[in-house]
């Protein structure tokens, strides 16, 4: 198989790589005793919120995604009755389950998942209006924007935790800001994951999110969900990472373009450059679009982050949320060989790809 | 002034004192450089939620309390226009303030306050039903209750942060669980406050809350807002602490009793015992009631915690939220001498009281 290499893309990706990474103050806590993490899932903001309506979740998508996550975590039959873990009022006439309900149900293999979500139509407006991503916390308007952004993204986090809990997933919200995560020139500088590790160890599913955080150089910034995912992948080394988005995967040009081709497999080289393995295209140029309201980089960041995860030897799947394709990716069904009827993008380390050629 | 000492109460209070405190793993971060903290405020659950209706905030009280907090934090005139920091939709036709709005406004002296709130009608139902406070995280029902409790208390936290932000207070929610706080036999064992300190340093008002947390001995428990307050008082040594409740202060018996007498001043001795200084009562017996649904101890815990704070030389005021009395306590107007027309309870270290006798 001939590989088409785009050095242009490789360069772009390398520029975004944080140079001070080696000197970051990672705290790995008691990680040596951790069971292997199965999967880190990114719930893309575009997949779970209504893009064009400020602060509105896409409830149908969120319900389907939560249900698929439950199926992926199930150790036994998926036909068992779901005992929800959101016991708040305002959920209609749902009865709060009893101890017996939980004893009878097959336990979820929940300890093996971490969920990170983006902001979608939450937070972006507040952050971009006040310039939180550009720093300047001494300015009253930036400080106010920091508060407004956190209110918006934590309200989305709560909605997602509740949707997961209703499906019986033992989810707990963990804000990077409250966890004390901070950045240096917008790259992660400090991220103690000891509480996160303990939470996974205890069988919970931590739910993190893109957040407004302190930046040691510029005062504050927005830490995107994609950067969080890469960071966690480096430290926790899951078997695979799934990005759930609102399109089938990565295309060679904007997916709205009728000529857009879905890239089914992308290989990442040791030097960080990418090449499209499947399908074989006439041109190897991929257009990268960044939405104007997106303070965290959009698709360019997503592909760069995914490539850096793949370089660690971790398979990355980019799939459309709430489809049969996303369910197959979440359950880990898509392994070395990609079924012809599966639609999505796999990003893998090229060394592994070569080994199976 | 003759002091009436109740050794019975003193004993009770000493029993509740955590014996392993000295061996706790406090992390004081870069605290030596912190400006002195002005005030830690407890928003009592009973004052800001509707006691008899599950998961309902008392919006009017919450608005008044937020407004009084703003007045207490003001460095200049309180007549300036409020520029809100909750820019979410669903707030009617409120316009999002501009950078100019914030530049024109007097800055709040916000860096000097920390707010901790209780759960009230949030969380208690979920925690007591599943027994989260008694531990046993390996049981599916307790694990589910842990999830349900956190959903409930974090939703209240979000509502309070938003109410404060609407008043222009730069409030940021910080969940003790996400901060990595944990307990040992229900007393705080680990509580890194470096992020909290940084947040105060940057001029924000951290908003913490009673939370479900991991317990090193019994798996999990409920960490009450009152225990958090004492812990923070020990580490941050504020000038004063204000407990906002739903009654005027501490009474010698249940306040519903028509013969109940408001205790205006309580002195705490070095051995941890208390004595009522004002008014002089015929009997020194104080009835302690604990509501059956209260998993965190109720008034008994509150007085014990307040006494332990007072022992540090920090004045503690227990006042009714949303009254002129609470405003005077929050602004720091009630100092050494207590005005006759002020209604509330002051708890002070007896050594200081003796000095002014």
């Amino acid at each position: 198989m001939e590989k088409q290499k785009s050095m242009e893309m490789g360069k772009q990706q390398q520029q975004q790589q944080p140079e001070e990474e080696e000197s970051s103050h990672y705290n790995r806590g008691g990680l040596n005793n951790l069971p292997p993490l199965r999967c880190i899932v990114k719930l893309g903001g575009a997949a779970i919120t209504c893009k064009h309506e400020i602060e509105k979740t896409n409830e149908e998508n969120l319900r389907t995604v939560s249900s698929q996550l439950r199926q992926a975590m199930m150790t036994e039959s998926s036909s068992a009755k779901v005992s929800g873990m959101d016991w708040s009022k305002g959920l209609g006439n749902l009865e709060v389950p009893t101890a017996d309900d939980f004893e009878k149900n097959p336990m979820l293999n929940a300890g093996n998942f971490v969920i990170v979500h983006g902001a979608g139509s939450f937070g972006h407006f507040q952050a971009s209006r006040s310039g939180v991503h550009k720093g300047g916390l001494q300015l009253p308007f930036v400080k106010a924007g920091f508060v407004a952004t956190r209110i918006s993204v934590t309200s989305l986090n709560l909605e997602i935790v509740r949707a997961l809990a209703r499906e019986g997933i033992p989810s707990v919200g963990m804000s990077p800001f409250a966890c004390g995560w901070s950045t240096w020139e917008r790259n992660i500088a400090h991220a103690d994951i000891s509480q996160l590790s303990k939470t996974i160890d205890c069988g919970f599913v931590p739910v993190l999110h893109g957040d407004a955080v302190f930046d040691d150089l510029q005062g504050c910034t927005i830490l995107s969900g994609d950067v969080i995912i890469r960071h966690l992948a480096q430290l926790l080394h899951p078997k695979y990472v799934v990005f759930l988005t609102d399109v089938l995967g990565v295309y060679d040009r904007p997916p709205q373009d009728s000529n857009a081709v879905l890239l089914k497999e992308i290989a990442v080289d040791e030097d960080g450059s990418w090449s499209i393995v499947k399908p074989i295209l006439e041109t190897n140029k991929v257009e990268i679009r960044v939405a104007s309201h997106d303070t965290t980089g959009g698709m360019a960041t997503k592909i760069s982050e995914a490539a850096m995860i793949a370089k660690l030897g971790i398979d990355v799947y980019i799939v459309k949320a709430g489809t049969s394709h996303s369910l197959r990716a979440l359950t880990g069904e898509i392994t070395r060989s990609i079924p012809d009827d599966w639609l999505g993008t796999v990003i893998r380390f090229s060394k592994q790809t070569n080994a199976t050629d």
Side-chain angles (χ1 to χ4, degrees), chain A:
Chain A
M1 184 185 300
E2 193 193 3
K3 294 204 288 175
Q4 301 160 326
K5 188 162 290 184
S6 163
M7 289 312 294
E8 197 188 328
M9 284 187 284
K11 268 186 217 154
Q12 182 188 5
Q13 190 254 328
Q14 281 193 313
Q15 280 169 356
Q16 294 199 359
Q17 190 167 3
E19 291 181 0
E20 75 283 6
E21 186 122 308
E22 286 180 356
S23 62
S24 297
H25 313 120
Y26 294 144
N27 180 336
R28 300 184 63 123
L31 277 183
N32 293 340
N33 300 324
L34 265 187
L37 190 70
R38 194 166 137 212
C39 180
I40 299 177
V41 182
K42 167 75 187 289
L43 306 187
I48 47 166
T49 70
C50 300
K51 222 187 272 192
H52 303 296
E53 196 168 337
I54 287 185
E55 297 188 339
K56 187 166 168 54
T57 53
N58 185 328
E59 286 191 29
E60 197 186 322
N61 264 13
L62 189 51
R63 201 163 35 233
T64 312
V65 164
S66 302
S67 170
Q68 290 196 347
L69 281 164
R70 175 183 164 81
Q71 289 174 64
M73 291 176 198
M74 290 293 284
T75 48
E76 296 177 36
S77 152
S78 63
S79 60
K81 185 188 150 203
V82 173
S83 294
M85 298 184 185
D86 179 4
W87 303 347
S88 307
K89 65 164 196 177
L91 291 175
N93 291 321
L94 277 181
E95 267 185 42
V96 172
T98 64
D100 279 351
D101 290 332
F102 282 97
E103 294 301 340
K104 277 183 229 150
N105 268 334
M107 272 301 288
L108 298 179
N109 196 11
N112 290 328
F113 275 75
V114 172
I115 294 170
V116 182
H117 64 82
S121 62
F122 289 72
H124 278 302
F125 158 72
Q126 288 87 347
S128 59
R129 178 165 181 140
S130 58
V132 171
H133 53 297
K134 292 184 283 187
L137 211 47
Q138 73 285 0
L139 302 169
F141 192 46
V142 175
K143 183 180 280 183
F146 192 94
V147 170
T149 302
R150 293 215 70 240
I151 286 173
S152 188
V153 294
T154 54
S155 70
L156 174 61
N157 182 252
L158 182 61
E159 284 197 51
I160 290 173
V161 166
R162 293 181 68 163
L164 294 166
R166 283 197 288 274
E167 281 292 323
I169 296 171
S171 51
V172 285
M174 298 185 80
S175 282
F177 174 83
C179 290
W181 290 26
S182 63
T183 54
W184 174 272
E185 275 192 325
R186 306 181 67 172
N187 290 303
I188 287 177
H190 181 88
D192 185 335
I193 62 159
S194 51
Q195 177 73 352
L196 184 83
S197 305
K198 200 171 168 184
T199 305
I200 300 167
D201 276 347
C202 290
F204 292 98
V205 176
V207 185
L208 289 81
H209 59 90
D211 203 359
V213 297
F214 293 144
D215 185 279
D216 292 340
L217 194 72
Q218 64 179 35
C220 63
T221 194
I222 299 296
L223 174 62
S224 81
D226 291 328
V227 173
I228 294 170
I229 294 262
R230 169 169 59 81
H231 186 74
L232 292 181
Q234 284 172 329
L235 296 185
L236 300 171
H237 219 278
K239 288 184 189 160
Y240 52 98
V241 170
V242 179
F243 285 82
L244 300 175
T245 70
D246 62 340
V247 287
L248 286 172
V250 178
Y251 290 82
D252 64 337
R253 70 201 78 185
Q256 296 82 355
D257 190 321
S258 58
N259 292 319
V261 175
L262 177 67
L263 309 179
K264 296 195 76 173
E265 189 174 349
I266 293 173
V268 180
D269 267 1
E270 275 183 285
D271 65 0
S273 63
W274 331 323
S275 54
I276 299 156
V277 179
K278 254 191 219 170
I280 297 170
L281 301 175
E282 286 176 25
T283 166
N284 54 17
K285 194 167 171 58
V286 174
E287 286 180 38
I288 304 295
R289 272 193 342 155
V290 181
S292 61
H293 71 278
D294 190 338
T295 50
T296 59
M299 189 55 83
T301 307
K302 192 181 304 304
I303 298 178
S304 293
E305 298 294 336
M308 289 170 80
I309 295 166
K311 238 181 83 179
L312 302 168
I314 301 164
D315 283 1
V316 177
Y317 307 105
I318 301 181
V319 284
K320 183 165 182 172
T323 61
S324 62
H325 313 293
S326 60
L327 181 59
R328 292 168 86 179
L330 288 169
T331 55
E333 185 194 321
I334 316 295
T335 50
R336 297 311 312 161
S337 67
I338 305 163
D340 284 340
D341 64 344
W342 181 78
L343 296 178
T345 302
V346 183
I347 303 180
R348 283 183 179 147
F349 191 31
S350 59
K351 274 202 172 170
Q352 295 170 315
T353 308
N354 291 339
T356 56
D357 274 354

